[in-house]
Amino acid sequence: MTTILPAQYDLADGFATHALAWARSLGAPQASLAVLPAVARELSLAASAGHVCLPLAALQLGDGDAPLDAAGLRKRLLQSGLVATAAQTACARETAQPMVLDEEDRLYLRRFFDLECRLAAALGERARHRLAQPPGDGEAALPSRLFPPRADAIAPDWQKLAVALALRGRLTVISGGPGTGKTTTVAALLACLLERDAGLRIALAAPTGKAAARMLEALRARAAGLPDVLRARLPDEASTVHRLLGVTPQPGRFRHDADNPLAVDVLVVDEASMLDLALAARLVDALPPDARLVLLGDKDQLAAVEAGAVFAELSAARGLSPATMAYLAQAGGVSEQAIARRVPEAQAEAALSDSVIWLTESHRFRGDSGIGRLAADINAGRGRAALDWLQAAGDATARWLADDGPRPAAATLACMEAGYAPYLACLREPRGAAPARFAAAFAAFDRFRVLAAVHEGARGLAALNAHLERHLRAQLGLPVEAGAAGRWYAGRPLIVLRNDYLLGLYNGDIGLCLPDDDGALAVWFAVSGGGYRPVAPLRLPEHDTAFALTVHKSQGSEFDEVLLVLPATPSRVLSRELLYTGVTRAAQRVTVAGPPEVFVTACATRTERFSGLAARLARKAGA
């Protein structure tokens, strides 16, 4: 769950006060006035915590000594004059009420209700458009070459089936954990589409600049086996979603929308679990109706920082109609029964029947490997079993450091320092001219990362970064920091916290402060396609030191080794999704440091975000 800041509590109190005064001016009955401020405050806080709506059943309000049930609360809210029904908003789009109560007793801020309805309508319409014909011999030839027969000819190749599903429709949602082949699948899909039509306009995007760069790099690597003519047609850049839509001076407004759609035929969005409701709605609004949309992500990862868990809702349930099952069986060269054993027949609870597929076979690490096993146990909520296994130290790729003090233990600090030893060695003995030195420094720095579960406290982000900064200064013989100028020293890593479109820097970009060949310090950022570019420290947008990152900020990244530091006591932000996301940032080795009970409690805590998106999509599909 997102941490609620003091300013957000102030905002909620202000909204409650304003709602009461507004309702009183409308002549609302006393029974409505008695409950409205508490409801308005809780709804505002729910939005700050990442919820799109608030079910009335989640509100514990009393009527004298007796609790007020949902029916009674619904009546009072609708009589307040500030709450509209869904039917009223459909009939009069410009109603003044700031809140909406739908048929299932979900209460929304009006903005979120409009966004959710728009997104559900657009995705539902896109999902309905499917090609009825089975694949022809020519169309099936390239996927068969790209995905040669498996040793187990009976088992479906889900990457191949994902390509076949995406070829058939305008919306495809592909969920898979690290190493399950999402990028390989997309490379094959784009090759198939380009073989059909060499002039297709294809765009690649991700919520952060780091994720976009990784997507392009991975796509190029996966495309190495494609025919030269197809590889040459693949996109040569990937952008952030904000940059793709075109930022304007007006907050929340973009250059591209329904009236000025994107000039694309295919849009692939990676790390889609990071899309919040507002950004997802505006992205789909700006997509031409006949364009294909492919969303890639991991349904088990952390949701967006802002309100909504769009990707998790879209990919939570799979379902294939008999016609699609038959189509995939023919395209994949397997039996319908083999597919049906893994994917149920389409049911009402599937938000997007025939549009969702899961990739579950990891090619990065086996399910019984250290990282794979730990991730699976966390996802299943088997916290105690995972802890016992970690403490037994039977696999060197997944380690446990018992650390239950208020401050990180000596073993945890030693692990942090050892992880950056290769980076320090690179800084001590720089070799070659600037480009080679920069490449070596980035490679050494990116092999290891400390991930923090929380911001504050002795085990939080700020404290971990401060310790590592002191350690680096001491090891390199740098003077103790003195004023603002002392913040800039060779080797300081930083993360950009705010988009700056003029500089081409985006939230989440990582830079290193390094001297050029003349000894002048600048912050260097990797450039898509190779190379590095400098930015003067004084020109940087809002930023922070980045020896350690929060798990949220690490999404879309991958490191050889990761140290995940847990707080001393359970926190509202700790959940199995956070643990899973942190653990799966590691490709080769992960270490978890913290109190045993904090780890077990986090594994048992699922992130819950109230929303009606899946229900609206299911209802539209049923209709």
Side-chain angles (χ1 to χ4, degrees), residues 111 115 118 242 245-257 278-279 281-283 285:
R111 170 175 170 264
L115 286 170
R118 275 167 46 198
H242 285 83
L245 291 176
V247 175
T248 68
Q250 294 178 283
R253 298 282 184 179
F254 295 98
R255 190 168 67 252
H256 292 288
D257 54 21
L279 189 57
R282 292 190 169 101
L283 180 64
D285 277 350

Side-chain angles (χ1 to χ4, degrees), residues 424 428 467-480 489:
L424 284 171
R428 281 196 194 96
H467 173 84
L468 287 165
E469 190 167 52
R470 289 192 299 269
H471 173 70
L472 181 141
R473 283 176 173 276
Q475 293 296 308
L476 297 182
L478 297 173
V480 176
Y489 54 88

Side-chain angles (χ1 to χ4, degrees), residues 56 68-79 83 85-86 101-106:
L56 295 188
L68 191 62
D69 62 15
L73 183 55
R74 179 183 183 90
K75 180 179 178 182
R76 294 190 185 194
L77 290 175
L78 292 177
Q79 289 177 339
V83 179
T85 64
L101 188 58
D102 73 4
E103 300 87 343
E104 285 77 33
D105 284 340
R106 289 183 289 255

Side-chain angles (χ1 to χ4, degrees), residues 51 68 99 135 144 208 211 304 332 348 467 487 513 528 550 579:
H51 300 292
L68 191 62
M99 293 174 276
S144 296
T208 68
H467 173 84
R487 295 287 290 165
C513 186
S528 178
T550 61
L579 292 183

Side-chain angles (χ1 to χ4, degrees), residues 122-476:
L123 291 176
E125 182 65 23
R126 194 173 292 279
R128 277 195 289 272
H129 286 274
R130 302 226 151 256
L131 304 175
Q133 72 272 19
D137 293 337
E139 184 179 294
L142 183 59
S144 296
R145 294 201 307 272
L146 296 175
F147 298 100
R150 298 158 60 102
D152 181 0
I154 299 176
D157 184 335
W158 292 100
Q159 290 175 286
K160 185 176 182 180
L161 295 185
V163 171
L165 190 69
L167 286 172
R168 192 168 182 252
R170 295 180 185 171
L171 174 65
T172 309
V173 180
I174 302 175
S175 175
T180 53
K182 297 188 294 291
T183 309
T184 300
T185 301
V186 167
L189 169 63
L190 297 183
C192 292
L193 291 172
L194 288 168
E195 189 174 58
R196 284 182 178 178
D197 183 353
L200 278 179
R201 299 167 299 175
I202 299 172
L204 308 176
T208 68
K210 180 73 172 177
R214 273 200 69 223
M215 178 191 192
L216 185 61
E217 179 184 347
L219 184 64
R220 285 173 174 162
R222 303 302 187 274
L226 293 177
D228 291 344
V229 65
L230 292 179
R231 191 167 62 249
R233 296 173 187 166
L234 290 174
D236 56 5
E237 67 173 355
S239 68
T240 64
V241 174
H242 285 83
R243 181 181 164 204
L244 178 74
L245 291 176
V247 175
T248 68
Q250 294 178 283
R253 298 282 184 179
F254 295 98
R255 190 168 67 252
H256 292 288
D257 54 21
D259 296 325
N260 180 31
L262 294 162
V264 299
D265 302 305
V266 182
L267 173 61
V268 180
V269 182
D270 198 10
E271 297 293 344
S273 61
M274 299 166 68
L275 289 175
D276 60 81
L277 174 65
L279 189 57
R282 292 190 169 101
L283 180 64
V284 175
D285 277 350
L287 199 60
D290 57 350
R292 295 175 189 269
L293 173 62
V294 180
L295 299 176
L296 306 173
D298 186 344
K299 62 182 178 60
D300 299 314
Q301 276 194 34
L302 283 167
V305 175
E306 303 297 331
V310 173
F311 188 82
E313 282 198 274
L314 298 183
S315 57
R318 300 170 293 172
L320 297 175
S321 65
T324 298
M325 196 92 71
Y327 164 83
L328 292 180
Q330 182 175 347
V334 293
S335 69
E336 294 180 41
Q337 291 75 17
I339 298 174
R341 278 194 290 268
R342 294 283 298 277
V343 182
E345 185 173 325
Q347 298 173 348
E349 63 266 21
L352 293 171
S353 296
D354 293 341
S355 297
V356 178
I357 198 160
W358 297 351
L359 304 179
T360 57
E361 182 183 352
S362 178
H363 304 281
R364 182 181 303 169
F365 37 73
R366 305 184 319 275
D368 60 350
S369 69
I371 299 172
R373 174 170 175 170
L374 180 57
D377 281 347
I378 290 170
N379 253 345
R382 297 188 292 265
R384 183 61 62 182
L387 179 65
D388 291 344
W389 176 75
L390 282 171
Q391 290 175 328
D395 193 316
T397 65
R399 294 196 307 155
W400 171 258
L401 285 179
D403 183 358
D404 55 4
R407 297 179 180 278
T412 300
L413 296 178
C415 183
M416 290 166 51
E417 294 164 6
Y420 284 118
Y423 180 56
L424 284 171
C426 186
L427 295 174
R428 281 196 194 96
E429 298 182 12
R431 297 179 181 178
R437 287 190 290 108
F438 298 157
F442 271 89
F445 180 71
D446 283 339
R447 65 168 295 281
F448 173 79
R449 197 70 85 246
V450 176
L451 300 183
V454 296
H455 281 269
E456 306 303 327
R459 304 170 67 92
L461 179 72
L464 299 178
N465 268 319
H467 173 84
L468 287 165
E469 190 167 52
R470 289 192 299 269
H471 173 70
L472 181 141
R473 283 176 173 276
Q475 293 296 308
L476 297 182

